[in-house]
DNA sequence: CCATAATGCTTGAAGCCTAAAATGTTTTCG
DNA sequence: CGAAAACATTTTAGGCTTCAAGCATTATGG
């Protein structure tokens, strides 16, 4: 089956709160549907245009920014995914010749992963297209809108982080 | 391995644009990191508190809103996932006794899925907690912030939708 | 009528993701 | 020194997700 094309609005679809803190829920559901919409479109285009996936793309992006390579653990932290996940992704990307692994002299537990020249070329193509796509999808927002949104999302993130760390304490 | 707790900011981590439409990219990366942060926390709590997952929760939420039940195809459209996905989720939820399937008299291809009494009880518990969690995570935002954010996200969604439908045309 | 298309759902293969256990290595400290 | 703790990575088992192919049923049009 292909992804459904008769979209019922995801916010409406997911809405299921009877009463109470309804405003916050509404906000969260809207943010979620918005992010999922963009993310799904980018995944679609990555697949159609480059036969790749978002996790692979993000993985390469990490390595692009680190010319000396990164350890799996470091990538795991930066991508906010588990270590086992990185192992699998790295295996496939290595298989495809986009990254290479190198043993670390001073710590035999660790390895570093880095882009191959082919991986670097490939990522450059993907990255350029990706940037275009995002610009295209968000072109309906004014400069003011973008600035406000950026600031509000920052506040949101801070709110969430502080709520999480309070809970842990 | 447990999820990484030393978070490097996801926006910083994913940022990889050299130049050009950098503003839009920055905005998208921030929205993504924000949504993922919240979503990850909710998944964590659903697992810890109810030993369930977000897809399961969303699935039950759909059925809660439809007392007469829904067909897999309808759920697939509402959840914006593929049909095969629904089949698997439904199988597990039925196995757990939270939903039941019923053949449709007038169309023998179709089935309807509906909550069992147990499923309804269970979802009620989960839903109440979920609403609390979201309120807690977003409590750092003022009423004004929430209103603005809601409006800006709506504009964003419209921008994305129109960009997507233009591309299809 | 009946062949064909469309529809509703399931299956299978492959990738993504997590939690937990296992393996090998380095560090700590008594 | 040597045992125990900490660390880096991989493995394993299981759930989530997609795409593509397949099966059964219903609708359509010559």
């Amino acid at each position: 089956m292909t992804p459904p094309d008769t979209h019922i609005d995801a916010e409406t679809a997911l809405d299921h709160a009877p009463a109470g803190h309804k405003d916050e829920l509404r906000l969260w559901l809207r943010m979620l549907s918005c992010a999922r919409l963009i993310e799904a479109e980018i995944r679609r285009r990555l697949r159609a245009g480059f036969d790749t996936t978002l996790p692979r793309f993000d993985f390469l992006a990490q390595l692009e920014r680190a010319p000396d390579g990164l350890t799996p653990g470091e990538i795991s932290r930066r991508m906010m995914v588990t270590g086992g996940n990185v192992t699998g992704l790295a295996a496939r990307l290595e298989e495809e010749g986009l990254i290479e692994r190198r043993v670390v002299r001073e710590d035999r537990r660790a390895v570093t992963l880095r882009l191959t020249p082919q991986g670097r070329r490939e990522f450059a193509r993907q990255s350029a297209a990706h940037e275009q796509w995002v610009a295209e999808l968000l072109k309906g927002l004014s400069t003011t809108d973008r600035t406000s949104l950026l600031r509000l999302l920052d506040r949101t993130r801070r709110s969430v982080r502080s709520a999480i760390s309070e809970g842990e304490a």
Side-chain angles (χ1 to χ4, degrees), chain A residues 1-6:
Chain A
M1 191 174 180
T2 352
D5 34 42
T6 55

Side-chain angles (χ1 to χ4, degrees), chain A residues 3 6 16 27 29 39 45 56 66 79 88 109-110 119 138 146:
Chain A
T6 55
H16 42 68
L27 179 55
L29 293 174
E39 203 176 326
R45 295 186 185 196
R56 278 168 156 98
M79 289 180 68
R109 292 171 301 183
L138 299 184
R146 287 203 294 264

Side-chain angles (χ1 to χ4, degrees), chain A residues 5-103:
Chain A
D5 34 42
T6 55
H7 292 313
I8 289 198
D9 183 287
E11 182 188 353
T12 305
L14 294 174
D15 190 2
H16 42 68
H21 300 288
K22 219 174 171 201
D23 280 1
E24 290 90 341
L25 194 50
R26 208 162 119 80
L27 179 55
W28 163 235
L29 293 174
R30 185 166 301 182
M31 187 185 306
L32 185 58
S33 79
C34 199
R36 281 184 177 174
L37 188 62
I38 298 174
E39 203 176 326
E41 182 63 18
I42 288 176
R43 284 178 194 271
R44 231 184 321 273
R45 295 186 185 196
L46 279 174
R47 181 174 303 274
F50 301 102
D51 191 31
T52 190
T53 65
L54 192 52
R56 278 168 156 98
F57 176 78
D58 287 345
F59 197 116
L60 297 183
Q62 293 306 327
L63 292 186
E64 172 67 32
R65 296 161 49 83
D68 295 341
L70 292 172
T71 64
E74 190 52 33
I75 294 176
S76 158
R77 279 183 288 276
R78 296 195 186 193
M79 289 180 68
M80 303 198 283
V81 298
T82 56
N85 193 352
V86 169
T87 300
L89 283 167
R92 283 182 290 271
L93 289 170
E94 188 182 15
E95 168 87 18
E96 294 168 18
L98 300 178
I99 69 172
E100 63 184 4
R101 48 205 314 133
R102 197 170 293 188
V103 296

Side-chain angles (χ1 to χ4, degrees), chain A residues 97-117:
Chain A
L98 300 178
I99 69 172
E100 63 184 4
R101 48 205 314 133
R102 197 170 293 188
V103 296
V104 175
R105 275 262 171 274
E106 60 276 20
D107 185 345
R108 285 188 306 182
R109 292 171 301 183
V111 293
T112 57
L113 306 174
R114 66 188 67 209
L115 289 178
T116 61

Side-chain angles (χ1 to χ4, degrees), chain A residues 141-158:
Chain A
L141 294 176
S142 69
T143 305
T144 317
D145 285 346
R146 287 203 294 264
T147 308
S148 309
L149 193 44
L150 204 62
R151 194 177 54 248
L152 286 167
L153 288 172
D154 190 55
R155 280 187 206 157
T156 304
R157 215 166 36 175
R158 265 202 282 275

